């Protein structure tokens, strides 16, 4: 299994037609590969999440900047100071 923080996020399946083709060294190697693959998958998920959050923050910042500009223009038009 591919495990991240105690949760199974996938499975690495290796098969061979010959019974007993894999020894304990093979199993240990595959376990290490599964662990590294799980970390890579989790890192990709976290990166995508961070990119989504950054895009949302940029959108909010742009909306705030536009709102501030409208407020400034309205204040100038009425002679008020903000």
């Amino acid at each position: 299994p591919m495990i991240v923080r105690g949760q199974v996020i996938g499975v690495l399946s290796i098969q061979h037609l010959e019974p007993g083709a894999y020894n304990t060294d093979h199993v240990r190697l595959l376990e290490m590969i599964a662990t590294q693959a799980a970390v890579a998958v989790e890192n990709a998920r976290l990166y995508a999440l961070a990119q989504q959050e950054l895009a949302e923050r940029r959108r909010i910042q742009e909306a705030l900047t536009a709102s501030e500009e409208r407020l400034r223009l309205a204040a100038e038009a009425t002679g008020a100071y903000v």
Side-chain angles (χ1 to χ4, degrees):
M2 296 168 50
I3 301 170
V4 173
R5 286 187 245 121
Q7 179 154 355
V8 176
I9 64 164
V11 175
L12 181 65
S13 177
I14 306 296
Q15 302 172 12
H16 196 285
L17 295 175
E18 182 182 325
Y22 303 113
N23 62 33
T24 56
D25 290 336
H26 294 125
V27 172
R28 269 195 298 268
L29 176 61
L30 292 171
E31 287 172 344
M32 288 189 289
I33 291 170
T35 298
Q36 292 300 313
V39 169
V41 168
E42 178 67 1
N43 284 346
R45 185 189 72 77
L46 293 172
Y47 179 80
L49 181 62
Q51 292 301 313
Q52 290 173 354
E53 289 178 6
L54 283 171
E56 178 67 9
R57 288 173 187 241
R58 285 186 187 113
R59 186 192 65 73
I60 291 168
Q61 180 63 43
E62 288 170 5
L64 179 60
T65 300
S67 176
E68 288 172 340
E69 180 63 12
R70 286 191 303 274
L71 177 61
R72 186 187 65 75
L73 291 172
E76 286 178 1
T78 61
Y81 295 98
V82 177

